[in-house]
Amino acid sequence: MSNSTGPFSGMFAITRMKVLLVLSLSITWMIASALPKYTPTIKEEFKTRLGEARQKIPSVKIDWHPNRPGEDPRDRYNASKVALLIESRPIPHLVPQILHMITVVPPDWRFLFIGSNLSAASVARSYATKHQQAIGKLDLMVLPEPWEIDSKEDVHRLLTDVRFYDEFLPGVEWILKYEYDSILCANSNSSLNYWLHWDWAGAPRTEGDRFSGNGGLSLRRVSAIKRILKFQSRYNDTNPEDEWFGTRVWVLPGAKVAAGTDGQLAVEDTYIPNPMGFHVKNGGGVLNMDVWGPSHQRKAIFDYCPELSLIMDMKLEAESHVDFIMAPPSSEDQDREEEMIRQYLAVIDPANRTPGQVRDLLIAAALRDRATAGDIAQAASRARRAQGQAGAQAGAQAGAGAAANAAGGAGVSAAAAVGGSAAGSSGAVNGRLTTESPGSGRGAGSPRGLGRGAAFGGRGRGRGFGFDDDASRNGEQ
């Protein structure tokens, strides 16, 4: 008998795939039928595991109303410690300066800003300072009449009046007094709370200063101040308040007062590495050459305390190429310096000045005026101005001719700086000045006839000096 295959024999053939499919359908049906029976158990197990997980999560409570009725947020801080800034001018950097000081001063200190209506409003409109006020960290105050802070003398009178401490600083024992041109450094390893055993600590004027109490950045004990004010009063328009206090607190029985570098809190006129802070007079307008002169020392200062950029006119780095004016030249700069002096000497007075005398003039001019621009052309111009009419006459006798074409007035000068800008003793206002000397230039003069500009033997540019701060000098040799 022969085997035969019908058309449906392949459909009903048993294969492995068909077996697995039937098996999986059976299992699925069994699970689905048993699910209603085990659902409560599954839910209970899930709740148990979720509860265990929640217990392991740390609890977080957010209080959207931290200041409850009747609670003063200032009570969270130490009422005996206050950082004080007095400033009547709305200086742009006051807000970032205050916020920086808040971050570096120990957290238990409170801050008080005393200003005019204008300066207090300029500080108050910042959202960051509003927050600091809301949490009780910062107070802004405008003193009522007859108190005034419009001038330095007004501030001196304020700080030497015992009524100021009784009425506006009740309960305060320590004051960190800082000004718009002072800063504490975040890199300092010291804390302000380490200095509370001092009655007065600040910055010395000299290494041997018997009272290191420059007031621009100083820590003061109010009880010592009140002891002095109980038996002595300051005469108006006399010594600044820090000097006045210094001559008295230094001899106060039992007072611990900084002297020299012992107890030096900040750097102003005497340098120490890694101080707590810096007081930079007039934001860098007046610099002590022993502190800021050497370029390596300036670099170390800015690396250690970059916050100085908040309060300083940051021009020192761009002008560090003229360090030989502020410090003795290095051996590699000797030849270049002497060549510059010879070029300058050939123009101003070849018969009567030696290179050494010219260099002494430049250094004297820079140190006398505390030049912050640090630029050789500026020092040369100032040295030239010091010679006065005699220098102009010498230049005229040398055969240099000049013509001035001015819109509002004209002045003639026979002196020209090497490399471009020329400054005349009479000045050329909005005019042109040309000479036949080895260096010639042209440009708008300032009312004083002095420009900060051309460098020796090349192209220079600088700001006008005097009433016309936007004047510029450009020249070519």
Side-chain angles (χ1 to χ4, degrees):
M1 182 175 180
S2 61
N3 293 331
S4 62
T5 58
F8 300 102
S9 59
M11 180 183 301
F12 295 100
I14 298 176
T15 64
R16 179 180 300 177
M17 181 62 68
K18 292 179 180 180
V19 172
L20 292 176
L21 180 60
V22 172
L23 185 60
S24 63
L25 289 174
S26 301
I27 294 174
T28 303
W29 179 81
M30 293 174 61
I31 294 175
S33 61
L35 185 61
K37 180 180 179 181
Y38 292 100
T39 296
T41 305
I42 295 173
K43 288 183 177 180
E44 187 65 28
E45 182 68 17
F46 179 78
K47 289 181 179 180
T48 303
R49 297 293 180 88
L50 183 60
E52 294 176 354
R54 284 176 176 174
Q55 291 178 359
K56 296 180 181 180
I57 298 176
S59 60
V60 177
K61 182 181 180 181
I62 300 177
D63 190 351
W64 296 105
H65 303 282
N67 301 330
R68 295 177 176 83
E71 180 183 356
D72 189 344
R74 292 175 292 187
D75 294 340
R76 303 175 183 180
Y77 304 96
N78 193 329
S80 64
K81 303 174 184 178
V82 170
L84 175 64
L85 173 61
I86 302 175
E87 183 55 64
S88 63
R89 297 166 296 173
I91 302 174
H93 72 251
L94 288 179
V95 170
Q97 181 191 16
I98 293 173
L99 295 177
H100 167 75
M101 296 292 281
I102 288 176
T103 62
V104 296
V105 170
D108 59 331
W109 285 67
R110 294 191 62 251
F111 279 74
L112 174 62
F113 175 81
I114 298 179
S116 63
N117 288 322
L118 191 59
S119 64
S122 68
V123 173
R125 64 188 180 188
S126 166
Y127 285 105
T129 53
K130 288 179 181 178
H131 171 71
Q132 297 299 332
Q133 287 180 274
I135 65 175
K137 185 72 171 180
L138 172 66
D139 278 340
L140 306 181
M141 182 185 297
V142 177
L143 297 179
E145 294 181 355
W147 302 97
E148 295 181 352
I149 58 168
D150 295 331
S151 66
K152 289 186 177 180
E153 175 59 24
D154 291 335
V155 176
H156 297 330
R157 296 179 186 182
L158 180 73
L159 294 175
T160 53
D161 192 329
V162 70
R163 293 174 298 176
F164 168 71
Y165 300 94
D166 292 338
E167 295 178 17
F168 302 106
L169 298 174
V172 174
E173 178 64 8
W174 292 278
I175 294 177
L176 172 67
K177 181 183 176 293
Y178 66 103
E179 297 178 358
Y180 79 99
D181 52 3
S182 59
I183 201 79
L184 289 180
C185 304
N187 284 327
S188 173
N189 292 325
S190 183
S191 169
L192 199 59
N193 287 338
Y194 298 164
W195 295 76
L196 299 184
H197 59 289
W198 293 86
D199 291 284
W200 195 297
R205 292 171 176 83
T206 62
E207 291 186 1
D209 195 353
R210 67 180 185 179
F211 174 67
S212 301
N214 279 6
L217 182 59
S218 56
L219 180 67
R220 310 167 178 205
R221 197 177 190 118
V222 176
S223 58
I225 292 175
K226 289 183 176 180
R227 287 173 62 189
I228 296 172
L229 295 178
K230 281 182 179 179
F231 65 88
Q232 282 198 346
S233 298
R234 174 183 175 271
Y235 287 105
N236 293 338
D237 302 309
T238 56
N239 290 337
E241 55 89 18
D242 54 350
E243 295 181 9
W244 186 85
F245 276 123
T247 57
R248 290 156 178 80
V249 71
W250 183 71
V251 296
L252 197 66
K256 184 174 179 60
V257 181
T261 56
D262 182 24
Q264 181 173 350
L265 181 75
V267 166
E268 183 172 336
D269 295 322
T270 302
Y271 179 73
I272 59 171
N274 303 336
M276 276 203 67
F278 288 85
H279 179 215
V280 186
K281 296 178 182 177
N282 299 328
V286 179
L287 293 177
N288 184 286
M289 293 299 105
D290 293 335
V291 176
W292 300 97
S295 60
H296 68 278
Q297 190 161 290
R298 287 202 308 275
K299 184 179 185 303
I301 290 174
F302 288 122
D303 288 344
Y304 168 73
C305 193
E307 303 93 328
L308 282 164
S309 60
L310 287 175
I311 61 173
M312 291 187 68
D313 186 7
M314 297 303 294
K315 294 181 179 179
L316 294 178
E317 291 303 313
E319 294 161 357
S320 61
H321 60 283
V322 289
D323 291 331
F324 62 87
I325 293 181
M326 306 165 73
S330 62
S331 57
E332 57 200 29
D333 291 334
Q334 289 275 1
D335 295 338
R336 184 180 62 178
E337 175 189 352
E338 294 301 329
E339 178 61 27
M340 288 179 178
I341 292 177
R342 279 194 293 271
Q343 291 182 20
Y344 179 67
L345 176 64
V347 176
I348 62 166
D349 203 350
N352 301 324
R353 292 284 186 268
T354 65
Q357 290 173 331
V358 171
R359 185 175 187 278
D360 290 342
L361 280 173
L362 302 182
I363 295 175
L367 294 181
R368 181 186 66 247
D369 296 338
R370 299 296 191 195
T372 60
D375 131 10
I376 184 69
Q378 176 189 351
S381 297
R382 292 186 178 182
R384 182 59 180 164
R385 181 183 59 177
Q387 297 179 33
Q389 295 292 338
Q393 293 174 1
Q397 294 173 359
N405 181 10
V412 179
S413 173
V418 178
S421 300
S425 57
S426 60
V429 182
N430 295 326
R432 292 185 176 180
L433 179 63
T434 58
T435 69
E436 296 177 358
S437 58
S440 63
R442 66 179 184 177
S446 68
R448 296 189 183 181
L450 176 62
R452 301 184 183 182
F456 287 109
R459 185 186 301 268
R461 184 178 184 277
R463 292 189 310 177
F465 179 82
F467 302 102
D468 185 6
D469 286 338
D470 294 329
S472 61
R473 302 291 185 271
N474 293 281
E476 295 184 34
Q477 182 176 3

mmCIF file of all heavy atoms in Angstrom, residues 404-429:
data_model
loop_
_atom_site.group_PDB
_atom_site.id
_atom_site.type_symbol
_atom_site.label_atom_id
_atom_site.label_comp_id
_atom_site.label_asym_id
_atom_site.label_seq_id
_atom_site.Cartn_x
_atom_site.Cartn_y
_atom_site.Cartn_z
ATOM 1 N N ALA A 404 50.359 126.104 15.654
ATOM 2 C CA ALA A 404 49.128 125.601 16.267
ATOM 3 C C ALA A 404 47.926 126.150 15.542
ATOM 4 O O ALA A 404 47.869 127.328 15.228
ATOM 5 C CB ALA A 404 49.068 126.010 17.753
ATOM 6 N N ASN A 405 47.028 125.242 15.216
ATOM 7 C CA ASN A 405 45.786 125.638 14.552
ATOM 8 C C ASN A 405 44.640 125.163 15.434
ATOM 9 O O ASN A 405 44.358 123.991 15.484
ATOM 10 C CB ASN A 405 45.718 124.984 13.168
ATOM 11 C CG ASN A 405 44.474 125.376 12.407
ATOM 12 O OD1 ASN A 405 43.758 126.280 12.844
ATOM 13 N ND2 ASN A 405 44.213 124.720 11.302
ATOM 14 N N ALA A 406 44.019 126.042 16.166
ATOM 15 C CA ALA A 406 43.063 125.635 17.193
ATOM 16 C C ALA A 406 41.671 126.165 16.908
ATOM 17 O O ALA A 406 41.518 127.225 16.321
ATOM 18 C CB ALA A 406 43.522 126.146 18.568
ATOM 19 N N ALA A 407 40.667 125.392 17.370
ATOM 20 C CA ALA A 407 39.283 125.834 17.198
ATOM 21 C C ALA A 407 38.920 126.835 18.282
ATOM 22 O O ALA A 407 38.248 127.825 18.024
ATOM 23 C CB ALA A 407 38.331 124.648 17.248
ATOM 24 N N GLY A 408 39.312 126.537 19.534
ATOM 25 C CA GLY A 408 38.938 127.440 20.612
ATOM 26 C C GLY A 408 40.088 128.243 21.146
ATOM 27 O O GLY A 408 39.912 129.037 22.055
ATOM 28 N N GLY A 409 41.291 128.046 20.661
ATOM 29 C CA GLY A 409 42.439 128.775 21.149
ATOM 30 C C GLY A 409 43.677 128.020 20.792
ATOM 31 O O GLY A 409 43.625 126.866 20.439
ATOM 32 N N ALA A 410 44.831 128.631 20.830
ATOM 33 C CA ALA A 410 46.032 127.955 20.394
ATOM 34 C C ALA A 410 47.175 128.293 21.327
ATOM 35 O O ALA A 410 47.229 129.363 21.914
ATOM 36 C CB ALA A 410 46.370 128.359 18.967
ATOM 37 N N GLY A 411 48.093 127.356 21.430
ATOM 38 C CA GLY A 411 49.304 127.598 22.191
ATOM 39 C C GLY A 411 50.465 127.005 21.444
ATOM 40 O O GLY A 411 50.316 126.089 20.656
ATOM 41 N N VAL A 412 51.621 127.546 21.640
ATOM 42 C CA VAL A 412 52.792 127.094 20.914
ATOM 43 C C VAL A 412 53.803 126.537 21.899
ATOM 44 O O VAL A 412 54.061 127.129 22.928
ATOM 45 C CB VAL A 412 53.426 128.249 20.110
ATOM 46 C CG1 VAL A 412 54.662 127.762 19.372
ATOM 47 C CG2 VAL A 412 52.433 128.824 19.127
ATOM 48 N N SER A 413 54.353 125.405 21.554
ATOM 49 C CA SER A 413 55.381 124.800 22.385
ATOM 50 C C SER A 413 56.462 124.225 21.495
ATOM 51 O O SER A 413 56.182 123.748 20.412
ATOM 52 C CB SER A 413 54.792 123.675 23.243
ATOM 53 O OG SER A 413 55.816 123.015 23.901
ATOM 54 N N ALA A 414 57.687 124.303 21.948
ATOM 55 C CA ALA A 414 58.787 123.777 21.155
ATOM 56 C C ALA A 414 59.238 122.437 21.656
ATOM 57 O O ALA A 414 60.262 121.932 21.199
ATOM 58 C CB ALA A 414 59.951 124.757 21.190
ATOM 59 N N ALA A 415 58.526 121.879 22.602
ATOM 60 C CA ALA A 415 58.942 120.596 23.162
ATOM 61 C C ALA A 415 58.089 119.492 22.583
ATOM 62 O O ALA A 415 56.900 119.633 22.468
ATOM 63 C CB ALA A 415 58.786 120.621 24.687
ATOM 64 N N ALA A 416 58.700 118.409 22.211
ATOM 65 C CA ALA A 416 57.958 117.257 21.687
ATOM 66 C C ALA A 416 58.491 116.001 22.338
ATOM 67 O O ALA A 416 59.673 115.847 22.517
ATOM 68 C CB ALA A 416 58.112 117.146 20.183
ATOM 69 N N ALA A 417 57.613 115.060 22.731
ATOM 70 C CA ALA A 417 58.053 113.796 23.314
ATOM 71 C C ALA A 417 58.495 112.872 22.197
ATOM 72 O O ALA A 417 57.908 112.869 21.132
ATOM 73 C CB ALA A 417 56.909 113.155 24.100
ATOM 74 N N VAL A 418 59.552 112.043 22.458
ATOM 75 C CA VAL A 418 60.048 111.143 21.431
ATOM 76 C C VAL A 418 58.989 110.089 21.151
ATOM 77 O O VAL A 418 58.541 109.404 22.041
ATOM 78 C CB VAL A 418 61.340 110.447 21.916
ATOM 79 C CG1 VAL A 418 61.811 109.463 20.854
ATOM 80 C CG2 VAL A 418 62.388 111.485 22.196
ATOM 81 N N GLY A 419 58.606 109.931 19.920
ATOM 82 C CA GLY A 419 57.636 108.931 19.527
ATOM 83 C C GLY A 419 56.256 109.483 19.325
ATOM 84 O O GLY A 419 55.359 108.776 18.966
ATOM 85 N N GLY A 420 55.977 110.758 19.557
ATOM 86 C CA GLY A 420 54.643 111.214 19.232
ATOM 87 C C GLY A 420 54.173 112.405 20.022
ATOM 88 O O GLY A 420 54.420 113.528 19.641
ATOM 89 N N SER A 421 53.471 112.178 21.126
ATOM 90 C CA SER A 421 52.737 113.240 21.785
ATOM 91 C C SER A 421 53.655 114.336 22.289
ATOM 92 O O SER A 421 54.730 114.081 22.800
ATOM 93 C CB SER A 421 51.958 112.671 22.962
ATOM 94 O OG SER A 421 51.059 111.719 22.512
ATOM 95 N N ALA A 422 53.219 115.569 22.178
ATOM 96 C CA ALA A 422 53.977 116.699 22.665
ATOM 97 C C ALA A 422 53.146 117.428 23.686
ATOM 98 O O ALA A 422 51.951 117.567 23.549
ATOM 99 C CB ALA A 422 54.347 117.633 21.515
ATOM 100 N N ALA A 423 53.795 117.912 24.740
ATOM 101 C CA ALA A 423 53.087 118.653 25.773
ATOM 102 C C ALA A 423 53.734 120.007 25.921
ATOM 103 O O ALA A 423 54.932 120.101 26.141
ATOM 104 C CB ALA A 423 53.123 117.908 27.089
ATOM 105 N N GLY A 424 53.002 121.058 25.846
ATOM 106 C CA GLY A 424 53.538 122.407 25.948
ATOM 107 C C GLY A 424 53.214 123.023 27.274
ATOM 108 O O GLY A 424 52.205 122.716 27.876
ATOM 109 N N SER A 425 54.097 123.939 27.735
ATOM 110 C CA SER A 425 53.843 124.576 29.008
ATOM 111 C C SER A 425 52.654 125.498 28.925
ATOM 112 O O SER A 425 51.941 125.717 29.889
ATOM 113 C CB SER A 425 55.080 125.368 29.448
ATOM 114 O OG SER A 425 55.421 126.315 28.457
ATOM 115 N N SER A 426 52.382 126.069 27.766
ATOM 116 C CA SER A 426 51.198 126.902 27.615
ATOM 117 C C SER A 426 50.006 126.094 27.150
ATOM 118 O O SER A 426 48.868 126.453 27.401
ATOM 119 C CB SER A 426 51.469 128.009 26.597
ATOM 120 O OG SER A 426 51.795 127.462 25.335
ATOM 121 N N GLY A 427 50.215 124.956 26.460
ATOM 122 C CA GLY A 427 49.152 124.054 26.047
ATOM 123 C C GLY A 427 48.546 124.449 24.724
ATOM 124 O O GLY A 427 48.466 125.620 24.377
ATOM 125 N N ALA A 428 48.117 123.429 23.949
ATOM 126 C CA ALA A 428 47.398 123.672 22.707
ATOM 127 C C ALA A 428 46.031 123.047 22.846
ATOM 128 O O ALA A 428 45.918 121.855 22.978
ATOM 129 C CB ALA A 428 48.143 123.061 21.533
ATOM 130 N N VAL A 429 45.010 123.876 22.859
ATOM 131 C CA VAL A 429 43.664 123.394 23.078
ATOM 132 C C VAL A 429 43.026 123.072 21.743
ATOM 133 O O VAL A 429 42.848 123.945 20.898
ATOM 134 C CB VAL A 429 42.821 124.450 23.826
ATOM 135 C CG1 VAL A 429 41.435 123.910 24.095
ATOM 136 C CG2 VAL A 429 43.524 124.875 25.089
#
